[in-house]
Amino acid sequence: MGTPVPTLFLQVAYLLILALSFSGCKYGYRFYADPLRPLDERGQGADMIVSDDGTVTYVAERLEISVRPLSDEELNRQFEIQSSQGIESTNPYTFGDWEDPATGMRPKRFTVFRLKVKNYQYPKIHIDPAKTRIISDNGRVYPALSQVDMEEYYRKYITGYVGHLYSTFQERRDLLKRTLYSDELVFSGQEVEGFIAFADLHPEVSRIRLHLDDVALRFDYRDEPRETLDLDYVFEREIGFYYPRSGRREPIKKN
């Protein structure tokens, strides 16, 4: 005759199985976040125009300052060669076409915007990208990442100043130099554009303001700004829970 299984053991085993089943059904989810999109013109500040492609433009006579969020898919298309080498992709703004084997998804590295300026109004203007920041609806603040910040992020992946890893670092650094918005004056008749990058937004962030601080429009004889303005561009995204087993998405409702 076999040894009887203790009743307590059976109860614990049953509760464990039940808990695992419940967990897989209800809690087997991941957070998702759709790409940022602008609020309509009623949700923006004065003198803002919202275009169909997601660009928000401040217009003051013949000055235009435009901001547009860029998804990872767009960035990968723009830098197609640098985004097609899996884990060794050298696109500095994304993970390229690499997918996390644990989730089967492509994680995000950064939040990226294209900033474009058309100056046909003033002798010169200046936008300092270091004074740009994201302010979320729940109070989080994300300062813009400089060239040095981005390089420091990637420097931890290299183990020396020779070899393949260093070559990958150099490729990323060169692309950043060519594409990040430059801290330079924009003179009359010029059109200038570049990227501004921030840390990846936290999963609970659904609405943000991209704030440009101290945009200099006029200068004194010492080249110090004497007329400035602050600009806010408002964007939102859908966030929620994704259940891989069923493919169901459950948006988080806003209050």
Side-chain angles (χ1 to χ4, degrees):
M1 186 172 182
T3 304
V5 179
T7 303
L8 179 60
F9 177 85
L10 290 174
Q11 290 175 337
V12 171
Y14 174 77
L15 290 174
L16 180 60
I17 293 170
L18 185 63
L20 289 172
S21 300
F22 182 76
S23 174
C25 176
K26 184 171 179 62
Y27 297 107
Y29 65 81
R30 296 193 293 266
F31 290 105
Y32 76 85
D34 284 347
L36 289 164
R37 60 183 185 275
L39 270 63
D40 61 23
E41 291 173 6
R42 293 172 297 177
Q44 304 289 341
D47 302 314
M48 293 289 185
I49 296 175
V50 179
S51 303
D52 291 341
D53 68 350
T55 301
V56 183
T57 305
Y58 170 77
V59 180
E61 299 185 35
R62 294 184 298 161
L63 172 67
E64 296 183 9
I65 302 175
S66 301
V67 167
R68 181 173 180 268
L70 298 173
S71 68
D72 281 8
E73 289 74 15
E74 290 178 281
L75 290 163
N76 285 343
R77 287 196 299 269
Q78 180 159 348
F79 307 114
E80 186 174 0
I81 295 175
Q82 295 88 349
S83 305
S84 59
Q85 301 151 19
I87 195 64
E88 296 184 351
S89 295
T90 55
N91 183 342
Y93 299 103
T94 75
F95 282 94
D97 60 0
W98 178 75
E99 293 183 354
D100 184 344
T103 64
M105 300 176 68
R106 295 179 183 177
K108 283 186 65 65
R109 280 196 197 272
F110 303 107
T111 300
V112 183
F113 294 83
R114 175 182 285 114
L115 172 62
K116 186 172 184 178
V117 179
K118 297 180 181 180
N119 178 26
Y120 296 94
Q121 179 69 20
Y122 297 95
K124 58 187 177 184
I125 74 163
H126 179 243
I127 299 175
D128 183 353
K131 293 184 177 181
T132 302
R133 63 186 184 273
I134 286 175
I135 304 169
S136 74
D137 55 348
N138 59 355
R140 291 187 181 274
V141 178
Y142 303 82
L145 300 173
S146 67
Q147 172 90 25
V148 173
D149 293 329
M150 301 284 276
E151 289 181 14
E152 285 301 313
Y153 171 87
Y154 283 109
R155 200 177 297 275
K156 63 179 179 284
Y157 293 106
I158 62 176
T159 55
Y161 291 92
V162 293
H164 175 70
L165 292 177
Y166 185 66
S167 174
T168 298
F169 172 77
Q170 288 281 59
E171 288 182 43
R172 287 170 171 156
R173 182 169 65 177
D174 292 343
L175 190 55
L176 288 168
K177 283 183 179 180
R178 298 200 305 269
T179 56
L180 282 174
Y181 188 86
S182 177
D183 181 18
E184 296 180 355
L185 294 168
V186 181
F187 292 95
S188 179
Q190 282 189 317
E191 298 186 13
V192 175
E193 67 177 79
F195 295 160
I196 300 179
F198 304 84
D200 184 28
L201 301 176
H202 289 78
E204 77 277 8
V205 172
S206 62
R207 180 173 293 188
I208 64 166
R209 289 185 293 120
L210 178 62
H211 181 77
L212 305 186
D213 197 21
D214 289 338
V215 177
L217 304 177
R218 298 187 189 278
F219 301 80
D220 62 19
Y221 69 94
R222 295 172 300 178
D223 253 358
E224 294 293 329
R226 66 177 180 85
E227 180 182 342
T228 63
L229 80 158
D230 297 342
L231 296 174
D232 284 305
Y233 302 78
V234 189
F235 301 88
E236 65 180 359
R237 64 181 185 174
E238 181 180 288
I239 60 174
F241 306 105
Y242 171 67
Y243 299 87
R245 292 182 65 182
S246 65
R248 182 169 62 89
R249 296 190 355 153
E250 181 181 314
I252 296 176
K253 294 183 172 61
K254 301 174 187 175
N255 295 327

